[in-house]
Amino acid sequence: DRYVRPFPLIVVMPDGERSFYNNTADGAPYEDYLMQDLIPHVEGCYNVLKGARHTAIGGLSMGGYGAMKLGLKYPDRFGSVGAHSGALAAARHAWENADRPELQRLFGPVGSRTRTENDPFALAERIPREKLPALYFDCGTEDFLLEDNRAFHAHLEHLGIAHEYREYPGAHNWEYWDEHIRQSLAHHCQALGITAVQA
């Protein structure tokens, strides 16, 4: 919270449990909770500017996946997306092994609708270019999700989708995220035209 104090921002941090912020295959509607309940609630209770030009989404690890997925799935709702150490291939090859019952419960079997509707790689292929939010993501060079992030970066480059991707020394831990949340915050502020308020 100390990093955002100088900025005219409201930061909302919903608990996604282990849902990957999806409407999961077992029926838990976390995506609906965020998009249909939480965001309208915030807009109704606080004096905020509404619409994509004034709204960013970000996260780390599972939340990095969720931010990228929701940003690409709802480009009319978000003007900026930031992800750190995102599990961006959660619906893809790295998670298809049958010995991961939790992920089977969340995403369903390989080729299922739940997987294809929640795959950032597939969503990037379908997103209208004129609606693209500003995309930023990074990953630590010692992070076990590094290759998935590199693959997503290469995929966006192949599609000609503008984005900012960075790699920094570090692993999948709070030290890395505490350091680099400031990069995604700067990205959001630039994309949304936000400047620090003078004390």
Side-chain angles (χ1 to χ4, degrees), residues 19-23 31 64-74 86-96 106-127 148 151-153 155-156 159 161:
S19 68
F20 279 73
Y21 300 94
N22 293 330
N23 289 339
E31 182 179 311
Y65 156 84
M68 188 64 68
K69 187 265 298 197
L70 291 170
L72 293 173
K73 197 170 186 178
Y74 299 95
L88 301 177
R92 293 220 145 194
H93 62 88
W95 303 80
E96 289 175 355
L106 295 173
F107 290 98
V110 177
S112 69
R113 182 176 176 182
T114 306
R115 288 206 183 208
T116 58
E117 288 182 349
N118 294 295
D119 178 4
F121 288 78
L123 291 167
E125 294 170 4
R126 300 194 297 266
I127 189 171
D148 290 343
F152 191 64
H153 166 55
H155 186 63
L156 295 182
L159 294 173
I161 291 178

Side-chain angles (χ1 to χ4, degrees), residues 59-61 64-65 68 81-88 135-143 145-150 152-153 163-173 175-187:
L60 53 91
S61 192
Y65 156 84
M68 188 64 68
V81 176
H84 305 282
S85 314
L88 301 177
L135 303 177
Y136 170 90
F137 60 111
D138 63 47
C139 195
T141 52
E142 288 75 54
D143 195 308
L145 293 172
L146 179 61
E147 292 308 317
D148 290 343
N149 279 262
R150 286 177 172 173
F152 191 64
H153 166 55
H163 64 286
E164 182 178 352
Y165 173 63
R166 296 284 179 263
E167 294 179 6
Y168 300 102
H172 200 85
N173 56 37
E175 288 78 13
Y176 178 87
W177 300 322
D178 183 65
E179 176 69 24
H180 297 292
I181 189 70
R182 287 169 277 188
Q183 272 88 25
S184 62
L185 178 60
H187 165 84

Side-chain angles (χ1 to χ4, degrees), residues 12-19 21 30 33-34 38 62:
V12 181
M13 294 185 285
D15 182 359
E17 296 186 343
R18 291 287 295 165
S19 68
Y21 300 94
Y30 281 89
Y33 151 65
L34 291 171
L38 181 62
M62 179 187 79

